[in-house]
Amino acid sequence: MTKLYCGELTDKQIEDISINATQATAMISKGDYTTDYNPQDYYSGYAYGDAQLWIELNERIKKISDFQEYNSKIVENTIRYQNSLDNQYLINVNQLIEKKYQNRKVSGLYNNDGFADLFDYHFSSSLLLILLLLGVCSSYTTEKENSMTLMLRTCKSGGICTSTFKCIAMVIYSFIINLCFSLCDLFMFFICYRFNGYTQPIYSISGYENSPVVSSVLSVIVLCFFMRWLCLCTLGSIVLLLSKIANKTYYVFIGSILLLALLMVASTVGTNLLGNYLNCFNPINLILPSKHFKEFNFIKIGNIPLITYTANIIGVFLIFTICTLLNCFDLRRTK
């Protein structure tokens, strides 16, 4: 049944679904249906199962038809409220809301509920953080334990080149493990849900109607990939700094675990105004797409309302840049 009505819907299909849903509701209320298994006449094999499917399809059709009206009301109220304001920041906020919500519509029926579970799935991110620590935490401490640091410094540009290549290797390593896990996640969820509608906007997914993103689901999946990669690169650059400071690998590993725990707690409890600003520099937030894409949230930068995921990307990229420069700066100084 889902395959039969999947995609752009015509008026005839909408009418058929409405009629069948009405008949199904009447049939259930009267109890006038057979309980025999009959896969030839029923999609689910049972009359009651098909009735529930028709009712569910009709509810989804109603939700789709009401969606554009819901967004139009938001835009109208925003414009009306904006005209009565004299605060520039609030005017900018309302203009941003108007820009993001205008012309939103969902014109098709797709099996895309599985995408919501994909965005809420964080177990692979936990495994990635563990692999990152195991792969990076001994980058400098192994050289210290084997007395290779002095030898590298005697080589022409040895310290600078080593530091640069270690940073590059960490970025490539993060990309490879992130790509492998992301493809595995997408493949396993596709096997379980058989979802479609990659080209539909993300606000067509149940629970993401108020998303600040207007791009397609596929675009958001790609964005989530790069956000998680930036998170891994930033944490990796911090671990490199810890490895440069410490003399033993287990010191770096313990310090990294404590840092991750602190960042996770800050991401969970930092919900006040100060916490929202600090969390813009928290790389852990980048691996939580549902936190950014479900609701329309923004922070104030002067008179500019900046959407939270944009602020988070900018803040974390700044941390990554600083940590990478510190890696090179320290080795140049000690060359």
Side-chain angles (χ1 to χ4, degrees):
M1 188 183 294
T2 303
K3 292 182 179 179
L4 182 63
Y5 292 101
C6 183
E8 298 291 329
L9 294 175
T10 63
D11 293 337
K12 180 65 168 59
Q13 288 176 318
I14 295 174
E15 183 181 357
D16 289 342
I17 293 173
S18 179
I19 293 173
N20 283 289
T22 303
Q23 294 174 350
T25 303
M27 184 186 70
I28 292 176
S29 62
K30 293 178 182 178
D32 183 20
Y33 56 88
T34 178
T35 58
D36 296 333
Y37 178 69
N38 187 356
Q40 301 298 327
D41 296 333
Y42 303 111
Y43 293 102
S44 65
Y46 296 94
Y48 182 81
D50 270 26
Q52 292 294 336
L53 288 175
W54 286 118
I55 294 172
E56 181 182 348
L57 275 177
N58 192 49
E59 289 297 324
R60 294 184 65 179
I61 294 298
K62 288 181 179 179
K63 188 175 181 180
I64 290 174
S65 62
D66 293 340
F67 182 78
Q68 190 170 359
E69 181 181 354
Y70 166 76
N71 285 280
S72 298
K73 289 182 178 179
I74 291 178
V75 174
E76 291 175 4
N77 293 334
T78 300
I79 295 174
R80 188 183 305 112
Y81 180 61
Q82 177 182 327
N83 294 332
S84 62
L85 294 173
D86 57 0
N87 184 294
Q88 185 59 46
Y89 172 70
L90 294 179
I91 293 175
N92 292 337
V93 168
N94 282 269
Q95 288 177 345
L96 178 63
I97 295 174
E98 178 187 352
K99 178 182 177 181
K100 291 294 184 178
Y101 277 88
Q102 66 181 357
N103 300 325
R104 285 192 177 191
K105 65 177 180 178
V106 179
S107 56
L109 186 64
Y110 296 90
N111 179 27
N112 58 5
D113 291 338
F115 290 119
D117 292 332
L118 176 63
F119 293 143
D120 285 330
Y121 179 72
H122 307 311
F123 179 70
S124 63
S125 297
S126 302
L127 297 179
L128 279 173
L129 294 177
I130 295 174
L131 286 177
L132 179 71
L133 296 186
L134 295 176
V136 178
C137 65
S138 61
S139 297
Y140 288 100
T141 53
T142 302
E143 296 172 357
K144 296 176 184 178
E145 293 170 355
N146 296 327
S147 301
M148 291 292 295
T149 306
L150 292 176
M151 184 179 296
L152 287 172
R153 290 175 181 172
T154 61
C155 301
K156 184 179 180 180
S157 301
I160 300 174
C161 290
T162 302
S163 175
T164 302
F165 284 125
K166 283 181 179 179
C167 291
I168 295 173
M170 180 272 296
V171 171
I172 295 175
Y173 173 69
S174 301
F175 180 86
I176 293 174
I177 60 176
N178 186 29
L179 179 63
C180 293
F181 275 75
S182 297
L183 292 177
C184 287
D185 290 346
L186 190 60
F187 177 74
M188 292 306 298
F189 271 83
F190 176 77
I191 293 297
C192 294
Y193 289 94
R194 298 289 179 176
F195 43 56
N196 50 35
Y198 292 92
T199 59
Q200 292 299 298
I202 187 175
Y203 52 75
S204 65
I205 302 174
S206 179
Y208 286 78
E209 293 86 356
N210 295 318
S211 174
V213 182
V214 295
S215 303
S216 66
V217 175
L218 182 60
S219 300
V220 174
I221 291 175
V222 175
L223 176 60
C224 289
F225 170 82
F226 283 104
M227 287 172 65
R228 187 158 70 170
W229 184 30
L230 178 58
C231 168
L232 294 175
C233 291
T234 304
L235 292 174
S237 63
I238 296 174
V239 174
L240 281 177
L241 283 176
L242 293 177
S243 180
K244 181 180 293 186
I245 296 171
N247 294 321
K248 299 293 182 181
T249 302
Y250 61 85
Y251 290 159
V252 181
F253 190 79
I254 294 174
S256 300
I257 292 293
L258 293 176
L259 175 64
L260 286 177
L262 179 63
L263 292 175
M264 290 178 183
V265 171
S267 176
T268 304
V269 302
T271 56
N272 55 15
L273 182 60
L274 177 60
N276 289 334
Y277 280 102
L278 293 178
N279 273 328
C280 291
F281 301 94
N282 190 343
I284 294 298
N285 284 338
L286 291 179
I287 61 176
L288 305 173
S290 58
K291 184 174 183 179
H292 290 298
F293 301 140
K294 271 190 175 181
E295 298 295 335
F296 195 102
N297 296 318
F298 48 85
I299 63 171
K300 181 180 180 181
I301 306 295
N303 283 329
I304 301 174
L306 197 60
I307 299 176
T308 52
Y309 79 89
T310 304
N312 199 187
I313 291 174
I314 295 173
V316 174
F317 184 77
L318 181 62
I319 297 296
F320 169 68
T321 303
I322 293 173
C323 290
T324 302
L325 292 176
L326 285 176
N327 271 306
C328 298
F329 176 79
D330 279 349
L331 281 176
R332 287 178 179 179
R333 189 180 62 182
T334 56
K335 177 185 169 183

